[in-house]
Amino acid sequence: MKLGRKLLMTAKGISVWWGIYLILGCCIGFGLKTVKDLFMTAGAGFEIKLYIPIMGAGSLVLAVITYAAAAVLKAAPFRKMKRKLWKIVRTEGVSDNYISELFSNARGDMKNYLTIEAAGAYTVRGETERAASVLEKIDLVSVLDVAQSTGDFRTAAYYYCVKMIMCIQNKDTAGATRAYDEGIYYLEAFETDANVLLVLAVYQLEAGLFHSALDTIKKVKIKKLPPYLRQYGKSLSALITATSMLNTGRMDEAGLYAAMACEAPGSDFIKEWAENILNQTRTEKKAISETN
């Protein structure tokens, strides 16, 4: 996410808590003023002109502390879940158990985000019908409202990423273009995000922009992916590179990258894609050899 976007999101989060504390501070001030007028002698105690700046500064400090504490508390179960997902992927890959773990944690603030991740997991496995049925459970209006109110565009960006991949897998070029156009505002906010870049590169492949896909894939930093998804990121990056090279006549390099993807395939879908590229490169090489 861009630094400016992160700062804006943080500022919005703090401003919510600041508003709450300002309201509480005003209520306390009103109460103190009432008590002074009723029970205190003239000149004793409460001075409203001094109270207002102190209350404003104090409430801001409390807002920052509360926002930071809430972020830590919110991140703790998410980190625990990620560790469990990593263990599952190491032994099982993107299995039903992996997806069940996502669903079991899809509640509260993380409900939409993890449901979208589950839909994305189905696309990794090439199961577009199941991905579509999961994505239909998402209230997109709610996702976009939260994005606009909090400044956190990640869930919205990932929603459009999954939508694009689903359309591409179903050979629905028009649908993929529509999803891209609708989501471009959110996707651009994550122009360095590895997940978003991988999807954009696949989209460019589908559009026949093979050189652009190669340029995009060079920007992907696999280490920015969660540990349990890096194997899939490596495989997909290799496949996108192989497909681009295959379509630009670089057969030897295409075969090399396809073989790299086969060595550590992320799923049966990815493995099938890699083997298809290898078969195409062999066929092309054989045809060239026979012609010569």
Side-chain angles (χ1 to χ4, degrees):
M1 187 191 299
K2 295 179 181 178
L3 178 60
R5 180 63 58 187
K6 284 185 178 179
L7 293 175
L8 178 61
M9 187 176 70
T10 301
K12 283 188 174 183
I14 292 174
S15 68
V16 170
W17 285 108
W18 193 16
I20 293 171
Y21 285 125
L22 282 175
I23 293 171
L24 291 174
C26 289
C27 292
I28 293 170
F30 178 77
L32 290 173
K33 181 69 168 60
T34 302
V35 170
K36 177 205 178 248
D37 291 343
L38 288 175
F39 301 108
M40 292 184 179
T41 59
F46 188 72
E47 175 58 54
I48 194 70
K49 291 182 180 179
L50 183 61
Y51 177 77
I52 289 176
I54 292 176
M55 185 268 290
S59 61
L60 178 58
V61 172
L62 284 173
V64 172
I65 293 172
T66 305
Y67 176 82
V72 171
L73 290 173
K74 182 179 177 181
F78 189 63
R79 286 197 296 268
K80 182 180 179 180
M81 179 200 68
K82 288 198 294 185
R83 287 194 294 270
K84 190 169 183 179
L85 290 174
W86 172 225
K87 291 178 181 178
I88 293 171
V89 169
R90 279 191 302 180
T91 56
E92 304 175 18
V94 179
S95 62
D96 289 338
N97 190 22
Y98 171 86
I99 295 173
S100 294
E101 182 66 21
L102 290 173
F103 280 129
S104 67
N105 287 277
R107 56 184 178 272
D109 292 344
M110 298 302 295
K111 181 178 180 180
N112 285 330
Y113 179 82
L114 293 180
T115 301
I116 290 168
E117 282 233 358
Y122 280 126
T123 64
V124 168
R125 291 167 30 155
E127 300 174 16
T128 52
E129 289 186 6
R130 299 181 76 175
S133 67
V134 171
L135 210 62
E136 286 175 359
K137 299 176 183 178
I138 299 294
D139 180 2
L140 182 57
V141 173
S142 173
V143 169
L144 299 184
D145 283 346
V146 170
Q148 293 300 324
S149 61
T150 64
D152 186 354
F153 289 179
R154 187 181 300 276
T155 301
Y158 285 3
Y159 173 88
Y160 286 109
C161 282
V162 175
K163 192 79 172 178
M164 289 165 63
I165 288 295
M166 280 171 43
C167 291
I168 290 169
Q169 288 179 334
N170 287 327
K171 306 300 180 183
D172 181 7
T173 304
T177 301
R178 186 164 54 253
Y180 175 80
D181 291 340
E182 291 174 358
I184 187 63
Y185 177 64
Y186 304 100
L187 296 172
E188 285 184 343
F190 285 86
E191 61 181 11
T192 60
D193 183 275
N195 286 311
V196 173
L197 286 171
L198 286 168
V199 172
L200 289 177
V202 173
Y203 176 72
Q204 288 165 340
L205 284 184
E206 187 68 14
L209 304 172
F210 304 114
H211 293 292
S212 296
L214 281 173
D215 291 338
T216 299
I217 213 65
K218 289 175 183 177
K219 300 175 185 177
V220 176
K221 295 181 180 179
I222 299 299
K223 289 184 179 180
K224 294 292 184 180
L225 289 169
Y228 53 90
L229 292 179
R230 288 174 188 167
Q231 174 182 328
Y232 300 89
K234 289 178 181 178
S235 297
L236 192 53
S237 293
L239 280 173
I240 291 167
T241 303
T243 305
S244 298
M245 290 180 169
L246 177 66
N247 285 277
T248 52
R250 297 158 68 178
M251 300 300 165
D252 290 336
E253 292 169 282
L256 177 62
Y257 278 98
M260 288 169 57
C262 280
E263 289 175 3
S267 68
D268 291 339
F269 169 73
I270 288 177
K271 184 178 181 180
E272 183 180 341
W273 183 0
E275 289 175 345
N276 184 46
I277 292 175
L278 284 172
N279 289 334
Q280 287 186 65
T281 57
R282 293 189 191 106
T283 301
E284 291 286 344
K285 286 181 181 179
K286 183 178 180 180
I288 292 171
S289 178
E290 289 176 351
T291 301
N292 291 335

